[in-house]
Amino acid sequence: AAIDASPEQDAAVTFTPSVHAAMAKANGAGASEQKPPYGINRILQHFTPITRTGQKKLQPKVIRLMNEAQDEARMTSTVFQERPVYERLREQGLSGVICDELVDQLNHLMPDADSSEMEMVSNLSQIIEAKGWVAAAAPNPRNASRIVVLAGPHGVGKTTTAAMLAAHAVLNTGDSVALLSLDDQRVAGTTELQRYAGIMGVHFESAGNPDQVRAALERMKDARLVVVDTPGLGPNDASGKANLQRLLDHVGDAEIHLLINAGVQDQVMSSTIQHYKSFKINRLLPTHVDWCRHFGPFINQLRRHHWPISYMGIGAQVPEGLRLLTTKHLAAMLLGLSAQTETEEIRTPVTVV
């Protein structure tokens, strides 16, 4: 018995009964259960410098290995479907109510249980967009400055984020930028932001009372983007809170982002938001996301307060540590997937010396 191994016949290889018997014996199954994959003879001929008898003996082992590899590939491709979506969402720290809502909506959009990972992310992205959890960065108003105020507790990264926003505009849009510091409580805070402004060549001022705020903003009226850094507040700092409120009352129509460390406990997030609600917050900005393993608690806050996210802080390097968030990136994060390609990253670093 011999195996026809001519190249022209690879697509329809014929095996004699003796070869089928050898295959069955090697694999512990009947001959009718074994169907060698296409091109097996070519593999044996070109990559095994042995005799035809040796090829016959090796052939069932090669077939078995190839079948095992195919089975493993099929298992890998179905891992996503085998793990319930609800379980994935709960692992990220989302509340049970939100998980139920998302799963119900996904089932409505995807009645087929065998949907791919990409389809799952795409459909969850649509749901996130409909819920308004992500908001694109607002365009600059015509003939007016876009004012962005950064508020939040001590240590969340307000000053560094202000520098990142300014660097983003300078490097990517070419817009004129101004930096205004209201943080007169920390000498280091004002000095640090002034240093960044000097490196980027942008207008910088500091203000500690309402008159100074009005005067500084008047001098900055030609800037397309004005980023305002504010002092950090403690939970019991009533006087500091009142003073900051007086200053912000003179900022005018502004986009006010509340910065919160994404890794803190849900209760801490809630108390921080309650403390800052009176400042007319209209955005949340998670920082230290690179240290955060579960993003769900932050999303729980979005459902309660309806303040969307535009940016997320993923590091301290200026400006690479700030990214624009997309609905697809957030969907992938909530499903426990890697989605670095779904964010807009500022790639040109500003070196601080």
Side-chain angles (χ1 to χ4, degrees), residues 109-182:
L109 292 173
M110 304 169 56
D112 185 2
D114 295 328
S115 300
S116 68
E117 188 174 281
M118 186 179 299
E119 291 173 327
M120 185 70 70
V121 171
S122 178
N123 282 280
L124 183 55
S125 170
Q126 294 179 38
I127 296 171
I128 290 172
E129 183 176 4
K131 289 183 175 293
W133 290 350
V134 175
N140 286 348
R142 185 174 298 178
N143 300 322
S145 299
R146 175 190 172 206
I147 301 177
V148 176
V149 176
L150 303 178
H154 298 287
V156 293
K158 296 183 297 298
T159 300
T160 303
T161 302
M164 291 174 182
L165 280 170
H168 184 193
V170 169
L171 295 171
N172 294 282
T173 68
D175 287 343
S176 56
V177 181
L179 291 170
L180 174 61
S181 175
L182 306 183

Side-chain angles (χ1 to χ4, degrees), residues 66-334:
M66 293 179 71
N67 286 338
E68 290 175 355
Q70 291 172 354
D71 290 342
E72 184 176 350
R74 283 193 295 270
M75 289 177 62
T76 302
S77 66
T78 58
V79 165
F80 185 83
Q81 288 83 5
E82 290 174 358
R83 291 192 61 201
V85 176
Y86 184 91
E87 178 185 324
R88 285 174 168 265
L89 297 173
R90 285 294 283 167
E91 284 181 355
Q92 292 302 312
L94 285 168
S95 70
V97 173
I98 295 179
C99 290
D100 286 334
E101 288 180 0
L102 295 179
V103 170
D104 287 344
Q105 291 171 319
L106 282 171
N107 289 336
H108 178 72
L109 292 173
M110 304 169 56
D112 185 2
D114 295 328
S115 300
S116 68
E117 188 174 281
M118 186 179 299
E119 291 173 327
M120 185 70 70
V121 171
S122 178
N123 282 280
L124 183 55
S125 170
Q126 294 179 38
I127 296 171
I128 290 172
E129 183 176 4
K131 289 183 175 293
W133 290 350
V134 175
N140 286 348
R142 185 174 298 178
N143 300 322
S145 299
R146 175 190 172 206
I147 301 177
V148 176
V149 176
L150 303 178
H154 298 287
V156 293
K158 296 183 297 298
T159 300
T160 303
T161 302
M164 291 174 182
L165 280 170
H168 184 193
V170 169
L171 295 171
N172 294 282
T173 68
D175 287 343
S176 56
V177 181
L179 291 170
L180 174 61
S181 175
L182 306 183
D183 190 1
D184 61 347
Q185 299 178 9
R186 275 193 323 131
V187 174
T190 299
T191 303
E192 182 183 3
L193 193 60
Q194 186 174 14
R195 186 183 181 193
Y196 280 123
I199 293 170
M200 292 182 283
V202 303
H203 186 178
F204 170 83
E205 293 198 34
S206 61
N209 60 57
D211 290 338
Q212 292 176 349
V213 171
R214 286 194 298 269
L217 290 174
E218 176 63 25
R219 289 187 290 270
M220 294 176 174
K221 63 182 180 181
D222 293 331
R224 296 289 289 157
L225 173 66
V226 177
V227 183
V228 181
D229 185 24
T230 65
L233 299 177
N236 301 313
D237 188 3
S239 62
K241 182 178 179 181
N243 183 58
L244 180 57
Q245 185 68 69
R246 284 193 294 271
L247 297 180
L248 292 182
D249 286 342
H250 294 81
V251 168
D253 187 15
E255 190 179 306
I256 304 179
H257 295 249
L258 175 58
L259 280 68
I260 300 179
N261 186 330
V264 301
Q265 296 178 350
D266 202 349
Q267 183 179 359
V268 175
M269 290 187 192
S270 296
S271 60
T272 301
I273 289 173
Q274 291 299 324
H275 191 66
Y276 278 88
K277 281 179 67 175
S278 61
F279 292 105
K280 299 179 181 179
I281 302 296
N282 47 41
R283 296 282 197 283
L284 287 179
L285 200 162
T287 62
H288 304 286
V289 176
D290 49 331
W291 286 94
C292 178
R293 296 184 61 185
H294 305 295
F295 202 62
F298 212 92
I299 301 303
N300 295 338
Q301 301 301 328
L302 297 184
R303 185 177 185 275
R304 296 168 190 158
H305 301 284
H306 307 290
W307 297 334
I309 302 173
S310 294
Y311 304 96
M312 59 188 297
I314 61 164
Q317 188 176 8
V318 177
E320 296 169 319
L322 187 71
R323 292 185 179 179
L324 292 169
L325 185 65
T326 68
T327 56
K328 283 189 177 180
H329 181 213
L330 181 55
M333 290 176 67
L334 295 182

